[in-house]
Amino acid sequence: MISIGIIGCGAIGSDVAREADGMDEVDEIYLYDIVEERGKALADELKKARFERVEDFLSRVDVVFEAASQQAVYEYAEKIIEAGKDMVIMTIGALFDDAFRENLIKKAKEKKCKIYLPSGAVAGIDGVKAASIGGLDEVTLVTTKSPEAFGKHFDKRTVLFDGTAREAVKLFPRNVNVSACLSLAGMGFDRTKVKVVADPVIRFNSHKILAHGKFGRLRAEVENLPNPNNPSTSYLASLSAIAVLRKIVNPLQIGI
Ligand SMILES: NC(=O)c1ccc[n+]([C@@H]2O[C@H](COP(=O)([O-])OP(=O)(O)OC[C@H]3O[C@@H](n4cnc5c(N)ncnc54)[C@H](O)[C@@H]3O)[C@@H](O)[C@H]2O)c1
């Protein structure tokens, strides 16, 4: 049995909490949201959940899910690891800060804690991670959305950006979590290429990963449907967070 904490009770946090509430392996769920009414309303809806401040529940949980914001990662991640607890980070973009990330990893090693980064809205992270051990020559993320998603109008497919992941996230902050996860799995922020495309033909946001290396060639594409509770979040992101929760409690570990 494990107890979990969840920071952020929006689309992803609520999906994880509802799933955890129905799992035999989960004993207690502690919820926190900066908007108290949101966290309390979710706690009222669930059997095993209660609303508490992070500082108050930290000593009683095994793992904390962050599904809130970059600010929440900067505010709580170190405290969680210092307390010797594992952490799942959805706002992976916060780890673009090299000094912050390296310090967190160092602390986690000292405390023997794990920091889980779900694959979120993309597919293919497992392959890129394995391939990086043999050596990668090139990794590219192609994100394609309708022109309206960028507040623009184009009659034909138009490449809006072609550069490194580190540059891309400054210009397209909505791509930040996907780019960060891919960069950390493969070649890092300065060698991972990102292409952002506006295409009037497509209906769904798509993320395509292309990788070349000693292993051969990989091509993985997802066409994402939005989360019913937050149209700007892909539903797959919630499902990947839930998959990580199941991985934590399951003796059978599938994939990497
Ligand atoms: N890894 C991925 O592929 C991926 C995909 C989608 C979203 N995300 C990230 O996951 C996070 C959650 O996404 P979501 O769609 O559930 O968002 P959401 O807006 O639906 O919910 C976020 C919740 O967190 C709360 N919150 C914000 N800052 C907080 C803080 N400092 N302390 C406590 N609570 C705080 C908000 O009040 C809100 O209820 C976002 O940061 C988003 O960027 C990652």
Side-chain angles (χ1 to χ4, degrees), residues 135-210:
L136 284 160
D137 299 323
E138 199 176 319
V139 177
T140 307
L141 170 73
V142 184
T143 294
T144 309
K145 299 184 178 181
S146 71
E148 289 71 35
F150 301 103
K152 304 218 155 102
H153 178 82
F154 297 110
D155 293 326
K156 62 179 176 55
R157 185 180 181 275
T158 307
V159 176
L160 300 180
F161 174 82
D162 195 351
T164 67
R166 203 180 285 282
E167 291 167 297
V169 299
K170 291 183 198 138
L171 295 168
F172 299 92
R174 298 208 72 105
N175 228 28
V176 68
N177 294 308
V178 168
S179 305
C181 192
L182 179 62
S183 299
L184 289 170
M187 300 183 83
F189 300 112
D190 298 313
R191 293 173 65 211
T192 302
K193 295 179 181 173
V194 174
K195 217 175 196 183
V196 179
V197 180
D199 190 340
V201 171
I202 68 145
R203 278 185 59 218
F204 304 116
N205 292 345
S206 109
H207 294 297
K208 183 159 64 187
I209 292 174
L210 306 160

Side-chain angles (χ1 to χ4, degrees), residues 7-13 32-35 38 66-72 75-76 90-92 118-122 177-178 229-230 233-234 237:
I7 304 172
C9 301
I12 297 175
Y32 177 71
D33 197 293
I34 207 163
V35 182
R38 198 170 291 157
E66 174 283 326
S69 60
Q70 291 205 3
Q71 191 218 329
E75 192 174 343
Y76 296 112
M90 286 310 293
T91 313
I92 303 173
S119 48
V122 283
N177 294 308
V178 168
N229 299 316
N230 181 353
T233 284
S234 301

